[in-house]
Amino acid sequence: QVQLEASGGGSVQAGGSLRLSCAASGYNPSDTCLGWFRQAPGKAREGVVAWHTGDSRVTYADSVKGRFTISQDNAKNTLYLQMNSLKPEDTAMYYCAAKFGDSWPCSPEELDYWGHGTQVTVSS
């Protein structure tokens, strides 16, 4: 069973940076779609980034391209989301997520399994 636990959220001013971590376990290291999505109060869930563990293909949402970077530490079974140049509109609860079932297609919109989130607040 896949387990995902996000951490590292906090409050920063616009232009600042944060790095989120995700302790991930129970997934197939060669055939899983992992990533992050976020949800702000009163808004729909928004896929942020997806990464396929098989071919390392990464897909970012247009809203975060060039600012956010996903990475992994296999030795620690940890997924990271480095967030730079943060904007107030990035304020949301962030969730580490996976795609349940078939790992393809692997895109941020396909992520449908998640654990507890971590809050990110960006002030102007």
Side-chain angles (χ1 to χ4, degrees), residues 58-107:
V58 179
T59 304
Y60 291 97
D62 288 343
S63 58
V64 306
K65 278 181 182 177
R67 301 188 298 122
F68 290 13
T69 304
I70 191 171
S71 63
Q72 58 156 338
D73 184 331
N74 285 333
K76 297 181 180 180
N77 288 331
T78 301
L79 200 65
Y80 299 102
L81 182 66
Q82 178 66 44
M83 306 186 297
N84 298 329
S85 302
L86 283 163
K87 305 175 182 179
E89 51 263 44
D90 294 318
T91 295
M93 186 71 78
Y94 283 71
Y95 297 86
C96 180
K99 183 182 178 186
F100 189 77
D102 192 344
S103 65
W104 294 105
C106 182
S107 69

Side-chain angles (χ1 to χ4, degrees), residues 1-2 26-28 30-34 52-53 97-106 110-114:
Q1 182 178 356
V2 178
Y27 65 93
N28 184 338
S30 62
D31 189 22
T32 300
C33 181
L34 295 174
H52 195 277
T53 62
K99 183 182 178 186
F100 189 77
D102 192 344
S103 65
W104 294 105
C106 182
E110 296 286 337
L111 301 172
D112 57 8
Y113 180 90
W114 60 92

